Amino acid sequence: MTNKTPPSPAIWFPAVRTGTGTDVFTIRLGEALNRRGIRSEIAWLPRRAEYMPLTVKSPKPPTWANITHVNSWLHPRFLTKTLPLVVTVHHSVHDLALTPYKNLPRRLYHRIWVMACETSSIAKANAVTTVSQYTANQVVRTFGRSDTVVIHNWIDLEHFAPDQRQTPHHPFRLLFIGTVSRRKGADLLPEIMRRLGGDFELLYNAKPADFGAGANLPINMIGLGRLDGDKALIDAYRNCDALLFPTRIEGFGLVALEAQACQRPVIATDGSALPEVVEQGRTGILCPIDDVGAFVAAARRLCEQITDWQQMSEAARERAVLNFGEERAIDAYISMYRRLIQTA
């Protein structure tokens, strides 16, 4: 009797096109797998497949595929029963820390609809991955699934790379990347910038109107509008001196990683998954949640202590290279896929 070599993984990604970071994750994973000789393909479903799944025809997996990989919100209608299933949880909307930042309709949508979808997909999954240990802990708390595999998000270190600048701008240039929402801490930005004054400016990827009528933004806040594509985003990171990210909760915190890869220190909240991405005092400064004074003090330290800014900048790039490169993450996914094929 001879041992047969197990087939190479071949991954099918049925996914709802949401226009969010989950799309970016699926695209980057699929492209990286294909570059490694692992065949993969995305079956994009329209946006309404999330909340009106019966109006969308369920796609059939291609004959060459031997694993299905989905994001946790995908409705059970689109889960194949014939292939091993991998489910990725990007962040937990059931985290109690999120409750203050949801209106009633969103709270009900998450509690009733999303909970049902995730309960089904996670229960059926042969393997569950999360993008941070923080999110893995939430999966245990909410769904009782304790065998999750943590595979941190990764970054293309050739694209997200530093320029040659060795000194900060004057005024010291901060950058905020994110939606203008309370969860992202955008409501704290005007007061932070008012306290910092004319020696600082904040660039942000939105328009002043996104803060709402009567926001009375200080003049040192400069709206960039929507940044389309990685080039515009990378240019923004390189053009700043530090990322200001007072978000209240993150399942991972990809923008903090992107900024560090571009050799920029991060000023962020000390909570949720961010301590897994930013090393306190070495690649950035983590501040207590909602503590405007702490964010102001952190920005002033980086502005006034040039040696600290330079050392944190160099360490930020080093951390990204050592811990969040594509090869490390894709190796972990491929190893997991191969284990599933061998046990199927």
Side-chain angles (χ1 to χ4, degrees):
M1 183 175 179
T2 59
N3 293 325
K4 292 184 178 180
T5 302
S8 176
I11 319 302
W12 183 56
F13 295 96
V16 176
R17 193 184 291 275
T18 62
T20 66
T22 58
D23 291 4
V24 175
F25 167 86
T26 305
I27 292 168
R28 287 181 177 176
L29 178 54
E31 290 176 346
L33 290 170
N34 281 318
R35 286 194 295 270
R36 296 283 292 273
I38 304 295
R39 186 173 181 180
S40 70
E41 182 179 290
I42 304 171
W44 287 114
L45 302 169
R47 188 69 174 87
R48 71 179 189 278
E50 179 184 312
Y51 48 85
M52 292 192 300
L54 294 180
T55 68
V56 178
K57 184 178 179 181
S58 183
K60 293 182 179 181
T63 57
W64 51 262
N66 53 26
I67 287 177
T68 300
H69 189 160
V70 304
N71 295 318
S72 60
W73 284 31
L74 193 67
H75 190 272
R77 172 179 172 78
F78 306 114
L79 299 179
T80 177
K81 299 178 181 179
T82 60
L83 299 176
L85 176 65
V86 176
V87 172
T88 293
V89 183
H90 295 274
H91 66 99
S92 175
V93 296
H94 316 295
D95 189 339
L96 297 178
L98 276 172
T99 303
Y101 313 113
K102 300 180 188 179
N103 57 27
L104 181 59
R106 184 172 293 275
R107 196 176 305 168
L108 293 174
Y109 181 64
H110 289 165
R111 184 182 300 170
I112 298 171
W113 186 260
V114 175
M115 176 67 84
C117 291
E118 289 196 299
T119 298
S120 177
S121 66
I122 289 172
K124 294 176 180 177
N126 300 89
V128 177
T129 72
T130 61
V131 298
S132 67
Q133 184 59 53
Y134 179 82
T135 301
N137 295 342
Q138 293 297 319
V139 170
V140 174
R141 183 190 68 81
T142 306
F143 303 103
R145 182 102 187 212
S146 59
D147 61 342
T148 57
V149 178
V150 177
I151 305 176
H152 284 125
N153 281 330
W154 69 96
I155 199 164
D156 185 334
L157 293 164
E158 292 186 3
H159 286 90
F160 287 86
D163 56 14
Q164 301 302 313
R165 184 161 53 85
Q166 298 297 315
T167 56
H169 295 91
H170 184 77
F172 192 86
R173 190 171 296 166
L174 299 165
L175 175 69
F176 173 82
I177 297 292
T179 56
V180 177
S181 67
R182 290 186 65 228
R183 182 175 77 82
K184 293 290 186 180
D187 56 301
L188 302 177
L189 297 175
E191 181 59 23
I192 291 171
M193 296 313 298
R194 271 190 286 269
R195 293 195 194 183
L196 285 172
D199 288 333
F200 294 81
E201 61 184 15
L202 173 69
L203 309 179
Y204 60 93
N205 66 324
K207 298 176 291 186
D210 294 325
F211 283 84
N216 190 27
L217 302 181
I219 60 173
N220 59 352
M221 288 183 63
I222 303 166
L224 300 175
R226 180 180 174 84
L227 299 178
D228 292 319
D230 280 352
K231 183 182 184 306
L233 187 59
I234 292 166
D235 286 345
Y237 287 128
R238 290 174 176 170
N239 197 36
C240 80
D241 300 313
L243 181 75
L244 177 60
F245 196 47
T247 180
R248 293 179 170 103
I249 185 167
E250 292 292 320
F252 177 75
L254 186 61
V255 298
L257 173 55
E258 291 172 341
Q260 288 179 116
C262 293
Q263 204 164 302
R264 298 295 176 258
V266 175
I267 303 168
T269 304
D270 188 7
S272 61
L274 286 166
E276 298 178 49
V277 182
V278 180
E279 187 175 349
Q280 172 70 298
R282 184 170 180 271
T283 70
I285 302 172
L286 298 174
C287 305
I289 187 170
D290 291 340
D291 191 337
V292 169
F295 285 106
V296 169
R300 285 180 175 155
R301 174 184 168 184
L302 291 179
C303 175
E304 296 168 2
Q305 304 295 327
I306 303 301
T307 299
D308 284 0
W309 178 83
Q310 292 171 334
Q311 290 176 346
M312 286 190 188
S313 296
E314 292 174 3
R317 173 66 183 181
E318 179 182 322
R319 179 167 175 77
V321 170
L322 291 177
N323 296 287
F324 299 101
E326 178 182 290
E327 183 175 0
R328 182 173 181 167
I330 302 307
D331 281 349
Y333 279 109
I334 292 174
S335 294
M336 180 189 59
Y337 294 146
R338 285 176 173 157
R339 287 195 302 271
L340 289 182
I341 292 172
Q342 291 170 356
T343 58

